[in-house]
Amino acid sequence: MSSPSIETVSTTAAAERSLFSASQARIERLRDRFQQIRKFTNALCAGLEPEDCVVQSMPDVSPTKWHLAHTTWFFETFILKKFVPGYRAEIPEYAYLFNSYYNAAGDMHRRDLRGLISRPTVNEAQRYRASIDSHIDNLLSNPDDSLLDEIEPILVLGIHHEQQHQELLITDIKHVFAQNPLHPVFRPSGNDGARRRPDVATRRPYQFIDFEQTIIEIGHEGRGFAYDNESPRHQALVLPFALASRPVTNGEYMAFIEDNGYARAEFWLSLGWMTVNEQRWDAPLYWTKCDGTWWNFTLSGFRPVDESEPVTHISYFEADAYANWAGARLPTELEWERAASGCPIDGNFVEDELFHPAAVPSASSAEALAKPDAETSPQHRHLVQIFGDVWEWTRSSYSPYPGYRAAPGALGEYNGKFMCNQYVLRGGSCATSRTHIRRTYRNFFQPEKRWQFTGIRLARDPG
Ligand SMILES: [Fe+2]
């Protein structure tokens, strides 16, 4: 056998170096992403006191401390316990306390009793986070490629899971603070200057943008991360429709209230009418009328309702009733995805630190936004605030796409088992991370829920 030439040896060594550096780069990217997301959760809590972090103001709300520990439990349960030989949990009881709903992962504490867990303390929950972060860091210090192939998709899922909990942490602490007559401030409105705040006279009315009938591809196209509920990608017929150029504003919603919309059964679904009467709703969550003026509790304090901001914290029932009153309807999720497929993913997200929807564009800024651009179709140029600000209710029930199968095991419980009695929301909100949202992203809530940043974009049939 002839020995390899110097040239062959150096080529092989170069190839190995290249593979090694590609593998290292992949690990570093993953580690950076993991650390960045974990730090951002901690940064969101920076202004909170321990007393803030333990309150559960209603069964849907989880205490901040629980979010901190549960997101950590996710990485411990689905990565460390599975992939670290001989791993032993420091505090095994956390598996019961901080499992949310994964039956295949074991028993769990009752959701509505999370506010009664005074121990572990907030400090202990933070120590738990630091300990698991350190274990993950060790695991990522030198994994071989086959281990990395197994860990990476679960770690990425855990990162997106934590981003979902960052949003819940924000909306939950808002609900907690809203119960306090002292109106605590989560973040002073330091970034208020970034708001576009047209006065009512210059606010541009929404327009309806027409879309023709077509067959489109719906769902995740396969590149990058997506939840299983966004697949399989499939063809769907979308009939002609028109979509409003922007979300409905507080000012427009006030007209519905002033027209006695909450007291007129003709606009409401039967279940909605029952709910609105049982709950005695007469305005969006967090609105209070003082001396004839509507005030709004926000994460930056209690202040008069700004008529130019998108209305938010409304249920599906209220969104549907408003649409009926306005002579329109809510879009289907297929219509929404079709419209959004031509729009860039930009907007007011959690990274902008407003923690509140930004005002709709004034007439002049809407003209500027609508300037011709070679990349964008004429219809899409006129659609604004599709992403960020407020989740937009659709009239689509949350159900599986054709061919959907939930994955086996505990992680298969992430989405599939909730496909009943909920409606799909699209587009993300001011509490969603920019790196978390997609055009195909399907959020879902029961129709009576109001504590998320949920809003309205109208649609209508042609003619
Ligand atoms: Fe969770």
Side-chain angles (χ1 to χ4, degrees):
M1 182 189 291
S2 61
S3 57
S5 67
I6 291 171
E7 193 179 335
T8 308
V9 169
S10 66
T11 307
T12 308
E16 279 175 4
R17 272 199 307 276
S18 165
L19 278 174
F20 177 75
S21 58
S23 180
Q24 273 305 111
R26 182 179 163 204
I27 293 167
E28 288 311 314
R29 273 198 306 274
L30 202 52
R31 181 189 268 153
D32 287 351
R33 185 97 180 96
F34 174 76
Q35 290 175 351
Q36 181 200 352
I37 294 302
R38 299 287 281 171
K39 281 181 188 159
F40 189 65
T41 305
N42 293 340
L44 285 173
C45 303
L48 299 178
E49 298 296 337
E51 290 84 350
D52 300 325
C53 297
V54 297
V55 178
Q56 181 172 31
S57 49
M58 65 165 171
D60 287 327
V61 161
S62 297
T64 302
K65 180 180 72 179
W66 189 90
H67 287 298
L68 294 173
H70 163 69
T71 47
T72 305
W73 166 88
F74 191 98
F75 290 112
E76 182 179 41
T77 303
F78 298 120
I79 295 184
L80 298 180
K81 287 184 179 175
K82 193 168 171 194
F83 296 105
V84 176
Y87 178 83
R88 289 172 69 90
E90 265 178 63
I91 304 174
E93 293 81 4
Y94 284 4
Y96 176 79
L97 280 183
F98 300 122
N99 180 2
S100 51
Y101 54 66
Y102 298 86
N103 293 310
D107 291 338
M108 65 210 72
H109 189 57
R110 269 175 55 178
R111 180 179 183 173
D112 58 335
L113 300 182
R114 288 173 187 164
L116 301 182
I117 309 169
S118 60
R119 306 296 173 96
T121 64
V122 176
N123 274 339
E124 285 166 338
Q126 286 289 14
R127 280 204 290 280
Y128 178 43
R129 284 179 72 81
S131 166
I132 298 305
D133 287 357
S134 166
H135 280 293
I136 293 284
D137 204 51
N138 285 342
L139 185 62
L140 290 178
S141 62
N142 198 19
D144 62 36
D145 278 353
S146 65
L147 180 60
L148 191 58
D149 286 345
E150 286 196 86
I151 295 171
E152 186 171 17
I154 305 174
L155 196 69
V156 170
L157 177 66
I159 286 168
H160 282 273
H161 171 254
E162 181 135 354
Q163 289 184 304
Q164 282 187 282
H165 277 277
Q166 288 166 355
E167 175 154 6
L168 289 169
L169 188 156
I170 293 164
T171 52
D172 288 359
I173 200 67
K174 181 170 183 177
H175 194 268
V176 168
F177 278 0
Q179 314 312 310
N180 189 330
L182 298 180
H183 299 140
V185 168
F186 175 72
R187 285 289 189 282
S189 50
N191 206 11
D192 231 21
R195 290 177 192 276
R196 306 179 298 276
R197 191 179 292 282
D199 64 35
V200 176
T202 64
R203 196 176 63 229
R204 184 188 174 104
Y206 57 78
Q207 305 163 271
F208 279 99
I209 316 297
D210 291 323
F211 288 84
E212 292 170 357
Q213 175 173 317
T214 188
I215 293 173
I216 58 164
E217 296 281 329
I218 288 289
H220 183 58
E221 83 285 358
R223 274 179 295 127
F225 174 83
Y227 288 119
D228 62 355
N229 62 4
E230 297 164 59
S231 292
R233 189 165 168 85
H234 60 283
Q235 288 196 329
L237 171 66
V238 184
L239 296 174
F241 69 101
L243 190 68
S245 53
R246 60 159 174 78
V248 170
T249 62
N250 288 331
E252 287 154 354
Y253 198 80
M254 273 183 198
F256 168 67
I257 296 174
E258 283 161 14
D259 197 30
N260 228 11
Y262 277 87
R264 294 171 62 182
E266 68 261 36
F267 302 130
W268 295 82
L269 289 162
S270 174
L271 261 183
W273 185 240
M274 205 157 65
T275 306
V276 81
N277 284 292
E278 277 175 5
Q279 301 295 324
R280 300 177 182 220
W281 290 343
D282 60 2
L285 182 64
Y286 303 129
W287 284 27
T288 309
K289 205 162 203 178
C290 304
D291 299 329
T293 303
W294 284 111
W295 284 65
N296 196 3
F297 178 78
T298 76
L299 284 164
S300 302
F302 194 54
R303 60 191 190 204
V305 168
D306 185 327
E307 292 188 30
S308 60
E309 291 168 359
V311 67
T312 189
H313 295 300
I314 53 159
S315 64
Y316 175 84
F317 294 137
E318 288 160 295
D320 181 74
Y322 177 86
N324 288 332
W325 172 83
R329 62 170 173 81
L330 299 178
T332 67
E333 66 169 321
L334 299 184
E335 291 167 344
W336 191 98
E337 190 166 322
R338 196 230 156 151
S341 66
C343 297
I345 299 182
D346 57 20
N348 167 31
F349 293 106
V350 69
E351 291 84 355
D352 297 294
E353 298 187 49
L354 287 181
F355 302 106
H356 195 72
V360 302
S362 64
S364 57
S365 57
E367 288 304 328
L369 285 168
K371 273 189 181 157
D373 168 337
E375 302 280 305
T376 316
S377 74
Q379 292 146 310
H380 295 114
R381 270 181 239 137
H382 293 281
L383 288 173
V384 296
Q385 290 174 288
I386 277 269
F387 294 102
D389 290 307
V390 292
W391 286 103
E392 297 177 6
W393 283 109
T394 75
R395 68 189 325 189
S396 298
S397 296
Y398 178 50
S399 58
Y401 282 165
Y404 171 82
R405 289 277 181 279
L411 288 174
E413 296 184 53
Y414 202 107
N415 280 309
K417 70 183 188 182
F418 300 110
M419 290 173 171
C420 178
N421 292 345
Q422 312 213 43
Y423 283 86
V424 173
L425 301 103
R426 293 297 196 111
S429 80
C430 55
T432 310
S433 177
R434 183 175 276 106
T435 59
H436 182 64
I437 197 68
R438 288 172 296 284
R439 294 177 182 84
T440 57
Y441 194 109
R442 308 173 78 201
N443 197 0
F444 50 91
F445 279 100
Q446 291 95 349
E448 73 279 10
K449 302 302 183 197
R450 310 210 291 174
W451 95 111
Q452 297 301 301
F453 285 99
T454 46
I456 313 170
R457 184 182 298 266
L458 296 175
R460 69 182 184 194
D461 299 317

